[in-house]
Every structure is written in C-alpha cells, then in structure tokens.
Amino acid sequence: MSGSRAEAEEKVGSRQRLQVNEYKENQNIAYVSLRPVQTTVLGKTAKVYLVPFSLSSYKPDQLKRSKSLLDKNSNNEVACKKCKKAEIKKTCRRILTPKMEATSSKAESTLQKSSLDVHAESNKWQYKSTSDTVILSADTESSQDGDSDEGTTPGMDDFSGLSPYEKKRLKNISENANFFASLQLSESAARLREMIKKRQPPESKRKKPKKKENETGCRRSMRLLKVDPSGVSLPATPTQPILVADENPLLPPGPLEMTSENRDDNSELFKGFLQTWAEVSKTRSKNTEKELSSIKSYKANLNGMIISEDTVYKVTKGPIFSMAFHPSEIRTLVAAGARSGQVGLWDLTHQPKEDGVHIFQPHSQPVSCLYFSPANPAHLLSLSYDGTLRCGDFSRAVFEEVYRDERSSFSSFDFLAEDASTLIVGHWDGSMSLVDRRTPGTSCEKLINSSLSKIRTVHVHPVHRQYFITAGLRDIHIYDARFLNRSRIKPLISLTEHTKSIASAYFSPLTGNRVVTTCADCKLRIFDSSCISSKIPLLTTIRHNTITGRWLTRFQAVWDPKQEDCIIVGSMAHPRRVEIFHERGKWVHSFLGGECLASVCSINAMHPTRYILAGARD
C-alpha cells in the first residue's frame, strides 16, 4: 500500500511539474492578441523523498545518491521536451503557405515590434507570478531555467490551455517573424538608399589665361582717349547747359500782324475776309429799348431754330474755352477762343463754309474770355492764361497789346465803361487789375488784392457799372469800383450758399436785377440783385447736372441777351442737347440736334438781337 501510494504521488507531482512548465513556456511565446487571455497560475508542489536513517548509522553517500537520482530524473524530462520542440518546429516549417512568404517588409517590422511588446509584458507577468509562489523543489527550478534559456517555439503539448484558433494564430505570428527576419530586408533597403544618393559633380574652376608680358593690346582711337597724335592729353571740353524748349513760349510783346494759320496772307480770299469784317463793323445796331416778349412767343421762336450739317464746322484746334457773337444783323460772324491760344473767326454766310473760316494765333495759352468792343465792333478783345490782353483790329489787320503781365495768369475781364476805355481784369491768384486803354503802355493802373484765393469770372453790372461781381472758388463777391484805392478791399456783398467749386456768375443783361451762378454741386442758383445792399436773397435753385469731368470744359450758365429772364446752359443728358430754363426754375426748351449734335456743348452764346445760338463742343 505504501508503495502504490508513493507511485501515485510521484505521478501527480510529475503532472504538476509539467503544468508549471507549460505555463512558463506559454509566457515566453511572442504573440499579439485582440482580447485578454485568461491564464491560471498553478502552485508548484515540492517533491519530498523520505529516506529513513539514524544518526548512529549515518553515511553521507546516502544523500548524495538521492540527489543524483533527482538530477537524473530532471535531465530526462528536459531531454524529452527538447525532442518534442524539435519535432513541432519541423512540422511548422512544412505548413508555411505562399501567402506568408509574400508578406511585405512593413508587416515584418510590425510583427517584430508587437512580439517584443508581448514578450516584455509576459515577462512582467511571469516575474509577478513567480514572486508570489514559493519554490520548494529543486526539480522545478532546474526545469524552469532550462525552458527560459531556450528561445525556440514550444511544442504542441504546451498549447493545451488555448483554443485551436489561438494556437494556430500564435504559431503563424512566430513563423512569419522568423521568415521576414531571415530575408534581411532592412539591410537591403539601406544599401539601396546609399546607391540612390546623388553624387554632386566636383566644381570645375576655370583657369584664367595668363597674360603675356610682351603682348600688344587692342588699338583704341585717340579721339576716344582724348589725346592728340603726339600723345599729349587734350583739354576738357566745356559742358554746355541743355536748354529745355518751352511747350508754350510767350509771343513777343507788342502788336502782332493778323496772319491766318489756314490761309495765304496774300490771297484774295483773306483780303476779302478782312474787308467784309471792317465794313460790317461800321454798321452798328440801334440800341432801342424794347419790352420782353412773352414766354409763349419766345418758345415759338425757339421752336423754329434748327441745326444742320452746314452749320457745323471745326473752327479751332482743341477744346473751345470762350465764344462771342458779332452784333451785326446782316452777316452771322462768330469768334471762338481755344485752349491752344488760337482765335477762330467764322463767317456763316460765306459759301462754301470752309472758305469762311480763318484761324489766328495771338496767344500761346488758352483764351479764356472774348468780347467784341461795345464802342467799335471791329475790335475783338481776347484774354489768355499767358498774361496778355490783346485787341484785334480788323480794319488794320493787327493784334494790339492792351495789357501784359508775365508774372500772372489772367482768367476773365469786362468793360467798366460803356466806351470800353477802362477794363477790370481778374487773375487766377485772386488779384484784380484796373486797366485804362487811354494810358500809353501795357501796364495796369491799379493792382488790387482781393479776399478771394481764386477768381474765375468777372462781370460788370449793365446799368450801375460801378458794381461788378466775381466768382471765386467757393464764394461770390460783389465790389464797388469806386473803392478800389486800398490795397486789400472788402466786398460789399458775399454769397456763401455754394458748397462746392463755382464756375461762373453773371448779371442779367438788360437790368442786372438777377444773378445766375453755376456750381459743381449740380445746382443753378438765381439771386435777386435788384437792390444791392448788404445781402441779396436767393430766388430759385435749379437742379442740373454740372459734372463734366476732367476732359470737358466746365458748364457756364449765361443769360439770353434778348430775354433776360431765361438762361442757357449745356447738358450731360442723352441725347446731347442745350437747355433753356426760366428764372423761376421752369424748363423752357431743349435744342436737340440728332447726329449733328453728338457731343456736349459746354460753352454757349446767343446772338444779342437774332435767334441764333452758337454752342462749342470739345
């Protein structure tokens, strides 16, 4: 009984030792699992051999025999395990599939990394389990040391605690890792990187040719070297200042002959033209006071006015800045001043119309104001930006110089006396000049500094000629010519209703009881100037587009000399037109020309006695 019991205990002990060794082998396997694996740590049972002995009959060799017996049994167990592991390894190699062999290097590296992580984790759990277990047998220690030193794949008996799927999966992972490690892909990739590296070509430095000491140089011109044939250097040539030609040179002072720019001076056509102007100027229109016609009859006369191709012609070169009608009732004569300084004269009764146009050049800069003399219609006075005021005498065919100031630029003028002997001239810098034509020379009598920074137009009252009105940048001033003795005068009346730049201001032609102004705020204003006192009231404001832009001449609303309660002004509306308004703000008439009036008429003038309108376009 005791013998059979000892054999049973020995079998149970051997099973327990195998189970313990199986757990250790499973912990050393490298695998990656998507779910936690439940394992059971089995306690290790020490195998104790009981040998009876007594102290009296003690022999040291007895314990040595038992110890040698233990060593023999343990060695047999390790040898059996090694044989089983070798057989499993051969079987796994035979079942490798082609799909495993074609796995990429990327999968290899991933598997290696995962195997290392799992191995580290298994070791961690192993140390934790072994620390809690008490090893009482020398046989278990020896079997565990043998298994840890051996890094091979465990046998099929070692997977008894796992499912068939887990066993196959772990086996495939270990075999793939070993296979990709045998391919040595990382070393091959490193060799390819070294082969791909570009080799920079060595910098080749160009060798400069050595100059020969006795070599003759290139021949050079002595003129370019600035030396004479003997080898002596020539003196430096003095540099002459470069003269920049003025675009608009001033014309010489003094009278200028009337030389036509588009006709021969000796031609009979030009001589007949001068003779016609002289004869027409002798016949003056009678100054008979007549009452204003009614608006109804006035509209009827305007409706009878038409425009045709025969009455359209280019008189000057460039845009027109000023225009005037000759007061003759026999022939239709028009004068126009251009930006180029030209003055064009057109006789509309002469046919063909090309032969009735004559162009002169009395100025070098834009002609901003033109008037026929009220005392002698054969005299045409023109004022220019170049600082000159000239009088064209058609009877003598000469342009006389009335006033000259090269330091200033003139903007406008008007006659202070009915006989045109005295004039008031406005400057662009805000000053004014009083000119007396009876005084010899071309200087002014007085130079007055006004409170305006700029003067655009000057106009004299038709009845009380001591008053004149000036249009400045933002203000309208009315002055009394009798108090022009002081250096800086103050205006009698100042109109400050305008919010933007002012283009013009004119008294009504017959009585002077109204003043019309043109402003860039798209408004035409009419004031009551019947009683010139400290202030003149505003009567009417007419909405009208006055924005002409940079390249067009600015609009200037003027009175009709025959109907002083109506004003004439250009328009930006389409189709192009010239409009007439009543002083109360009502629209009266629009001149539509169709194809003959295809551009904007900025400057307009009405004949003093006849129903003839002249419009200038750019």
Side-chain angles (χ1 to χ4, degrees):
M1 292 294 290
S2 61
S4 62
R5 184 176 298 176
E7 292 177 357
E9 289 179 358
E10 184 177 359
K11 290 181 180 180
V12 172
S14 63
R15 287 182 182 176
Q16 290 179 350
R17 284 198 299 272
L18 287 175
Q19 290 178 358
V20 171
N21 292 336
E22 177 183 351
Y23 168 74
K24 182 177 179 61
E25 291 291 333
N26 292 340
Q27 290 293 331
N28 290 333
I29 294 173
Y31 66 94
V32 177
S33 176
L34 298 177
R35 59 183 179 84
V37 179
Q38 296 180 358
T39 57
T40 303
V41 180
L42 301 178
K44 301 175 180 58
T45 304
K47 185 176 182 180
V48 180
Y49 295 89
L50 300 177
V51 180
F53 70 95
S54 62
L55 295 174
S56 58
S57 61
Y58 168 73
K59 292 181 180 181
D61 296 337
Q62 291 178 358
L63 293 176
K64 290 182 180 178
R65 288 192 191 100
S66 61
K67 188 175 182 181
S68 63
L69 180 62
L70 293 173
D71 294 339
K72 183 178 180 181
N73 294 333
S74 63
N75 290 335
N76 292 332
E77 291 177 359
V78 170
C80 293
K81 288 182 179 181
K82 285 183 179 180
C83 293
K84 290 181 180 180
K85 290 177 183 178
E87 292 177 0
I88 292 171
K89 200 168 187 180
K90 292 179 181 179
T91 306
C92 293
R93 286 179 181 176
R94 286 194 300 271
I95 63 175
L96 283 175
T97 62
K99 184 175 181 181
M100 295 179 184
E101 296 177 359
T103 308
S104 62
S105 61
K106 184 176 180 180
E108 176 199 1
S109 60
T110 304
L111 291 172
Q112 288 179 357
K113 184 177 179 181
S114 61
S115 63
L116 291 175
D117 294 342
V118 173
H119 181 69
E121 186 177 358
S122 64
N123 290 337
K124 180 179 178 181
W125 281 99
Q126 178 183 0
Y127 296 151
K128 184 175 180 180
S129 61
T130 53
S131 62
D132 296 338
T133 307
V134 179
I135 302 175
L136 299 178
S137 175
D139 294 339
T140 57
E141 292 178 359
S142 61
S143 64
Q144 288 175 357
D145 293 339
D147 294 340
S148 62
D149 293 338
E150 191 178 37
T152 60
T153 306
M156 295 300 294
D157 296 339
D158 295 337
F159 293 105
S160 61
L162 300 176
S163 64
Y165 171 76
E166 292 291 339
K167 293 178 182 179
K168 185 176 180 179
R169 179 174 171 274
L170 295 177
K171 181 180 65 175
N172 292 341
I173 290 173
S174 61
E175 291 175 354
N176 291 341
N178 295 332
F179 172 73
F180 285 113
S182 63
L183 295 178
Q184 297 181 354
L185 296 177
S186 59
E187 290 81 356
S188 302
R191 287 195 299 272
L192 289 174
R193 290 191 195 99
E194 293 179 359
M195 293 172 61
I196 293 173
K197 287 182 180 179
K198 295 182 179 180
R199 295 181 180 180
Q200 297 181 355
E203 296 182 358
S204 59
K205 295 184 179 180
R206 184 179 179 182
K207 296 182 180 180
K208 296 182 179 180
K210 297 181 179 180
K211 294 183 178 180
K212 297 180 180 180
E213 297 180 356
N214 298 330
E215 185 179 0
T216 58
C218 299
R219 295 184 60 186
R220 294 185 180 180
S221 172
M222 290 186 175
R223 179 180 61 82
L224 297 178
L225 295 175
K226 296 182 180 181
V227 295
D228 58 1
S230 60
V232 181
S233 60
L234 299 175
T237 57
T239 58
Q240 297 180 355
I242 301 174
L243 300 177
V244 179
D246 190 2
E247 296 181 358
N248 300 314
L250 289 175
L251 298 178
L256 300 175
E257 294 183 1
M258 278 191 180
T259 57
S260 179
E261 298 287 332
N262 60 338
R263 295 284 186 271
D264 187 5
D265 297 342
N266 298 324
S267 64
E268 295 181 358
L269 184 62
F270 179 67
K271 292 179 180 180
F273 168 76
L274 294 177
Q275 186 177 0
T276 302
W277 275 79
E279 292 176 357
V280 170
S281 300
K282 291 178 182 179
T283 60
R284 302 178 184 179
S285 60
K286 296 180 181 180
N287 295 328
T288 58
E289 296 182 1
K290 54 182 180 180
E291 297 180 358
L292 295 178
S293 60
S294 63
I295 294 296
K296 186 176 182 180
S297 61
Y298 182 66
K299 286 184 177 180
N301 293 326
L302 295 178
N303 291 330
M305 299 171 61
I306 59 174
I307 183 173
S308 62
E309 294 182 358
D310 295 336
T311 58
V312 178
Y313 194 74
K314 186 174 181 63
V315 179
T316 61
K317 295 180 180 179
I320 293 177
F321 277 34
S322 58
M323 196 161 43
F325 256 112
H326 193 277
S328 174
E329 297 182 359
I330 302 173
R331 304 179 75 92
T332 304
L333 306 174
V334 185
R339 177 186 289 178
S340 59
Q342 294 178 343
V343 174
L345 301 176
W346 186 17
D347 183 4
L348 277 76
T349 56
H350 196 283
Q351 294 298 331
K353 61 181 180 182
E354 293 83 1
D355 296 340
V357 177
H358 296 270
I359 302 174
F360 306 95
Q361 189 78 41
H363 302 281
S364 60
Q365 293 184 20
V367 179
S368 58
C369 192
L370 278 176
Y371 280 115
F372 283 97
S373 174
N376 186 2
H379 293 171
L380 175 64
L381 283 84
S382 60
L383 179 137
S384 175
Y385 288 4
D386 60 3
T388 59
L389 174 61
R390 294 183 180 272
C391 175
D393 190 352
F394 296 102
S395 59
R396 296 189 300 153
V398 65
F399 285 99
E400 294 180 352
E401 192 171 64
V402 178
Y403 177 42
R404 186 183 185 92
D405 187 359
E406 297 179 358
R407 298 171 298 177
S408 182
S409 180
F410 303 154
S411 60
S412 180
F413 82 98
D414 199 3
F415 303 103
L416 281 175
E418 292 184 1
D419 58 356
S421 59
T422 57
L423 300 89
I424 183 73
V425 179
H427 300 239
W428 281 110
D429 59 359
S431 59
M432 295 178 290
S433 300
L434 184 62
V435 179
D436 192 345
R437 297 176 64 187
R438 297 167 295 185
T439 303
T442 59
S443 60
C444 64
E445 300 295 327
K446 294 179 182 178
L447 182 62
I448 304 102
N449 295 323
S450 68
S451 57
L452 296 173
S453 60
K454 185 180 292 186
I455 294 178
R456 295 186 183 275
T457 60
V458 175
H459 194 238
V460 178
H461 196 283
V463 178
H464 307 287
R465 304 194 73 89
Q466 70 272 17
Y467 300 121
F468 64 92
I469 187 171
T470 59
L473 187 63
R474 294 290 179 89
D475 298 334
I476 302 292
H477 289 178
I478 297 177
Y479 296 94
D480 191 343
R482 295 172 295 182
F483 302 97
L484 297 180
N485 297 326
R486 288 174 291 181
S487 60
R488 192 177 187 86
I489 61 173
K490 293 183 179 180
L492 295 177
I493 300 172
S494 179
L495 306 178
T496 59
E497 287 83 354
H498 304 82
T499 59
K500 291 187 178 181
S501 177
I502 302 170
S504 62
Y506 295 107
F507 284 110
S508 57
L510 298 179
T511 62
N513 293 334
R514 299 289 185 267
V515 172
V516 60
T517 62
T518 307
C519 184
D521 59 359
C522 296
K523 291 181 181 179
L524 306 178
R525 293 176 175 87
I526 298 175
F527 297 87
D528 183 8
S529 59
S530 58
C531 181
I532 297 178
S533 59
S534 60
K535 187 177 181 180
I536 58 177
L538 176 64
L539 293 180
T540 309
T541 300
I542 303 172
R543 294 287 301 178
H544 187 71
N545 186 6
T546 58
I547 307 300
T548 57
R550 179 180 179 183
W551 306 108
L552 297 179
T553 306
R554 298 185 65 180
F555 288 157
Q556 292 186 4
V558 295
W559 297 96
D560 187 348
K562 304 180 298 297
Q563 194 82 16
E564 72 165 3
D565 57 351
C566 293
I567 57 175
I568 305 168
V569 66
S571 176
M572 295 293 294
H574 289 276
R576 300 305 185 190
R577 65 193 70 182
V578 178
E579 296 182 321
I580 296 180
F581 295 94
H582 193 265
E583 64 178 12
R584 296 180 182 177
K586 295 181 180 180
W587 170 84
V588 177
H589 187 74
S590 293
F591 295 99
L592 300 174
E595 296 181 357
C596 297
L597 185 59
S599 62
V600 178
C601 290
S602 301
I603 305 299
N604 301 279
M606 184 72 83
H607 195 278
T609 57
R610 302 164 62 187
Y611 283 92
I612 301 175
L613 174 66
R617 62 184 186 182
D618 297 339

